[in-house]
Structure formats: C-alpha cells, structure tokens
Amino acid sequence: MWATAVGVARVRALESERENALFRDPLAWAFAAAGGRGPSSPPLPGDEAARRRRRGVAFSIVIRTKFLDDLLRQASKSGVRQVVLLGAGMDSRAFRMDWPEGTRLFEVDTAEPLDFKASVLRRERAVARCERITVPVDLREDWPGALAAAGHDPALPTVWIAEGLLIYLPEDAVESLLARISAQSAVGSRMGLTLGSRGVIERFGADAVPGSAASLWVSEMPDDPVGWLAGHGWEADSHTLRERAAAYGRPFDTPPQHEERPGGLISAVRRPARRP
C-alpha cells in the first residue's frame, strides 16, 4: 500500500509548481521520480471516467494537505512540541515547514517506505527543521510501544496526523487505532484525520483498476464523526473538502453529484476526562 504514497508525492509536486500553490513541497518530485512517477513519466492509462476520478482524488490530496498544514501550525502556536505522523509515507513536513525550537516529529511507518524515503533524503541532502525520529513499525503491531521506545512522552500534548490512512483500514482497525491514539494523548493534544466520505468507495472504488489506491479503500467515515470522536474523549470539528476548498480560494469546478456530509476533514482536541 505504501507505493500509493509516491502518487501522493507527485500530486504535491504538481501543486508546488502552481503560481498560487496552497503549499510548497521541494522534495515531492524527488520522491515521485525515485518511485517511477517523475515529471517525464507517461500518463496512467484509463478512460475519461478514470481520469476524472484521478483528478478528483488529486484535488482532495491538495486540499487535505493544506488543511493539515494549518492544523499543525495552530498546534505549534498553542505550545504542542510533539508531532506524530501515522503512516507517514512520503510526507516531508519535517523538512518543508517551520517548526518552533524543541519540536520532535515522529514518522511512524513500516521499514520499507522509511528506507526508501531515507535513500531519497540522503541523495537530496535534505536537512530537517526539527528533531525528526523515524519509527519503523506496522500499525497492526504494538506501535505505541515502539513510539514510546523512540522517545514519545504521552504525558505531554501531542498533535497526531492520520492523513489518507483510515480509508485503507477496516472498521475494527480504525477503532483500535483511535483507542491507541487516545490512550497516548494528554489533555490538550490535537488530532487531524482524513476520512472517506460516505459513498466514496462506491463512486470511486467499484470499478477501480486493481492495485490502484481506490481499489484498496475499505473504510468510510461514520454517520456522525463528531459524536464518534466525542465517545473517545475528543472535541472535534468536521469539514467537507468542498467547503475547505472554497475557503482556500480553490473551489470545485463541478457541481456535487451527491449530498456531501461533513466529516471528510477532522480537527480535534483532547478533552479532560469526565468525572464520574
């Protein structure tokens, strides 16, 4: 599944070249090219419907990247100095964002993508702007233990990012992941999630090319994502991609083909435990 992160890097590289880019990712082309998706790569095959779906997915990647960048900046301004990227893939925020002194950023992913990423970073002579710590572990295993061994302190607030991750996990794995995050989160911790909108698997995944990102999607957001997170002790705000895109001055150029429920993008803060 991690190879889809190379496709995400290509999308970020293309966005970075726009005059009005919502973010700049100087390492994105290096990751994409190393994975065979560089600027000169031939376009992916497919009919017009497939190309339209790919454009929709690419647009969502751009909007969610901007949304989570903003969330991370807000968390930093509030004093949070621990960042955990779950399923980090080709994320380059440790290198492209300005971080306050004392920030520790943990990248959690399996060894293969982290090793691939390390080879590209060495070749590019990239220098992180914070203390960057990689944690090679499968999220189906004891990743909280591995994270703690790497230096994460659950007594201090953390900002957690699960970008483009939950849609690939079955419902029970999503619940387990959230429970583990919550157990490691001090009061004042922040969280940014991206969730598959209701019906997205039917619209995008039903006839997806085998091996493509959409063909691997298995999970959509709950009917009430805010209530779902409240049950885990988080106070959440939910947003649609469409409303965030409009707020960023990058509105969708097509009318909605379905009723889009809030919840595709989530920001949340860890609440104090309720007293019995």
Side-chain angles (χ1 to χ4, degrees):
M1 185 184 75
W2 74 267
T4 61
V6 172
V8 173
R10 179 181 171 86
V11 171
R12 289 177 174 152
L14 291 168
E15 172 65 20
S16 299
E17 293 181 340
R18 291 177 61 114
E19 183 177 349
N20 63 339
L22 296 182
F23 54 85
R24 305 283 180 186
D25 189 341
L27 290 169
W29 272 131
F31 292 135
R37 297 296 311 281
S40 59
S41 301
L44 294 175
D47 57 20
E48 178 54 33
R51 288 189 286 272
R52 187 168 56 249
R53 288 194 295 271
R54 283 199 292 270
R55 288 195 295 269
V57 171
F59 196 89
S60 71
I61 290 169
V62 170
I63 300 305
R64 80 189 194 198
T65 300
K66 164 66 172 170
F67 175 81
L68 295 173
D69 282 359
D70 289 349
L71 184 152
L72 286 164
R73 292 189 183 100
Q74 293 162 4
S76 292
K77 287 180 181 179
S78 74
V80 180
R81 296 293 179 266
Q82 290 189 130
V83 180
V84 178
L85 308 179
L86 296 169
M90 301 303 110
D91 191 295
S92 68
R93 290 184 171 99
F95 302 87
R96 67 176 178 81
M97 294 181 66
D98 294 323
W99 298 99
E101 185 177 353
T103 298
R104 310 182 81 200
L105 186 148
F106 300 85
E107 295 190 8
V108 181
D109 212 327
T110 54
E112 188 178 6
L114 289 177
D115 289 346
F116 170 86
K117 187 174 187 177
S119 68
V120 175
L121 293 172
R122 284 193 299 270
R123 187 163 62 247
E124 296 297 314
R125 298 182 180 179
V127 178
R129 298 183 180 184
C130 59
E131 183 181 1
R132 173 178 175 261
I133 303 165
T134 57
V135 186
V137 64
D138 193 305
L139 290 174
R140 294 169 294 186
E141 298 172 359
D142 180 22
W143 64 263
L147 188 61
H152 176 259
D153 186 351
L156 299 176
T158 301
V159 55
W160 304 86
I161 300 295
E163 179 178 4
L165 172 64
L166 302 188
I167 198 168
Y168 294 100
L169 303 178
E171 186 175 336
D172 59 341
V174 172
E175 287 293 334
S176 174
L177 185 73
L178 185 56
R180 285 174 156 185
I181 291 173
S182 301
Q184 308 300 313
S185 297
V187 171
S189 292
R190 307 288 182 101
M191 182 166 58
L193 305 176
T194 63
L195 302 172
S197 301
R198 302 294 290 183
V200 72
I201 294 175
E202 180 181 357
R203 295 193 308 277
F204 283 74
D207 57 351
V209 176
S212 66
S215 71
L216 303 174
W217 294 348
V218 296
S219 175
E220 297 178 354
M221 68 182 184
D223 287 326
D224 179 12
V226 172
W228 170 60
L229 288 167
H232 286 273
W234 296 85
E235 184 175 338
D237 292 314
S238 64
H239 311 269
T240 66
L241 285 164
R242 189 174 292 274
E243 70 185 32
R244 285 293 86 202
Y248 301 149
R250 192 75 65 79
F252 280 92
D253 58 5
T254 57
Q257 297 178 344
H258 64 288
E259 181 182 358
E260 190 176 10
R261 302 182 187 181
L265 302 168
I266 299 286
S267 60
V269 178
R270 187 67 169 160
R271 303 182 310 190
R274 293 182 179 179
R275 295 183 178 180

